[in-house]
Amino acid sequence: MILICESEKLDDYLLELDEVNYSNPIIKKKADELFNLSQTEIEKARIAFEFVRDGISHSWDIQSKRVTCNASEVLDFKEGICYAKSHLLASLLRSQGIPTGFCYQRLMLFDTPEKGYCIHALNAIFLKSLTKWIRVDARGNKEGIDAQFSIEEEKLAFPINEKLDEKDYPVIYANPHPKIVAVLKENTNVLEMYKHHLPESL
């Protein structure tokens, strides 16, 4: 799939946003722990990805009701759904001057079309040393899910089954999609949100 940048300006993928609040002290502290001047951008990208994938619990996996949205909240509580985790990964990488955007997929919510669909979030990272975007999915691994950092072949959490009306959206967004932010702001119970209120399309 050919990825399409929402903005032609790389700087738009470095902006600080409400959801990507990398000047927050808790984000700065974690960035200081994770990164140092001797690391390459690829090393930093891998370190940040693996931290968010493994160090932040997916809310559904731990059956937590707490809704997190802004990167600082996600890091503070160490939990969030894929939307929230994508905000944290973007925040950590943008703090290091590494352009990071937001990508989305339309997936079956559970295991059959009858149980509905949802939008799933992941990230795209621009690696200047390779002059290319790569997509990574920091959702969190578990049985049946094995997402990895890869600069060659994508190793995402979920394969797309187009025959079942799943879809890979090609756009790399500079900001989290408004539908994504809205659902996180409007809900107070992540489990109810996950089952009933996630957007089904962009």
Side-chain angles (χ1 to χ4, degrees):
M1 185 180 68
I2 297 172
L3 297 172
I4 302 165
C5 289
E6 179 189 28
S7 171
E8 295 177 1
K9 299 177 183 173
L10 268 181
D11 284 352
D12 286 347
Y13 295 91
L14 290 170
L15 293 175
E16 183 159 27
L17 311 164
D18 285 345
E19 299 79 29
V20 184
N21 54 341
Y22 53 74
S23 63
N24 185 286
I26 191 172
I27 301 287
K28 284 183 167 181
K29 183 172 182 286
K30 178 52 69 174
D32 288 343
E33 290 172 14
L34 292 174
F35 308 125
N36 63 62
L37 294 174
S38 70
Q39 295 162 345
T40 66
E41 62 166 2
I42 293 173
E43 288 170 334
K44 287 183 175 183
R46 179 192 296 273
I47 286 165
F49 164 74
E50 291 179 350
F51 166 71
V52 177
R53 183 193 65 187
D54 302 338
I56 307 295
S57 299
H58 189 287
S59 306
W60 182 261
D61 293 351
I62 61 171
Q63 291 291 288
S64 170
K65 294 180 180 178
R66 179 182 283 116
V67 179
T68 56
C69 178
N70 299 349
S72 56
E73 293 176 331
V74 182
L75 182 55
D76 192 22
F77 293 111
K78 295 188 169 51
E79 63 180 74
I81 66 166
C82 58
Y83 305 165
K85 294 184 75 168
S86 74
H87 299 167
L88 176 57
L89 181 54
S91 190
L92 288 168
L93 290 176
R94 289 185 183 192
S95 80
Q96 301 302 297
I98 298 173
T100 308
F102 303 92
C103 293
Y104 300 98
Q105 298 171 327
R106 182 180 195 255
L107 303 173
M108 289 185 292
L109 182 55
F110 294 109
D111 52 355
T112 65
E114 293 74 29
K115 293 177 183 175
Y117 290 83
C118 69
I119 293 301
H120 172 66
L122 54 155
N123 292 96
I125 305 168
F126 186 74
L127 299 171
K128 293 175 186 172
S129 58
L130 304 177
T131 60
K132 74 182 226 180
W133 287 93
I134 64 165
R135 291 195 305 171
V136 297
D137 191 338
R139 176 237 178 268
N141 290 341
K142 60 178 184 176
E143 187 175 350
I145 296 176
D146 184 27
Q148 301 293 332
F149 182 88
S150 174
I151 59 174
E152 304 294 340
E153 180 186 356
E154 286 188 339
K155 296 182 180 178
L156 304 179
F158 301 106
I160 297 296
N161 189 334
E162 292 182 349
K163 292 178 182 175
L164 293 176
D165 214 19
E166 294 186 328
K167 180 177 181 178
D168 230 337
Y169 292 97
V171 176
I172 303 172
Y173 292 92
N175 301 343
H177 194 282
K179 281 190 177 182
I180 299 307
V181 177
V183 76
L184 294 174
K185 298 290 189 189
E186 290 164 6
N187 286 273
T188 55
N189 181 325
V190 122
L191 302 180
E192 289 302 307
M193 177 183 78
Y194 195 89
K195 287 186 286 190
H196 303 297
H197 301 297
L198 298 183
E200 292 193 6
S201 62
L202 292 183

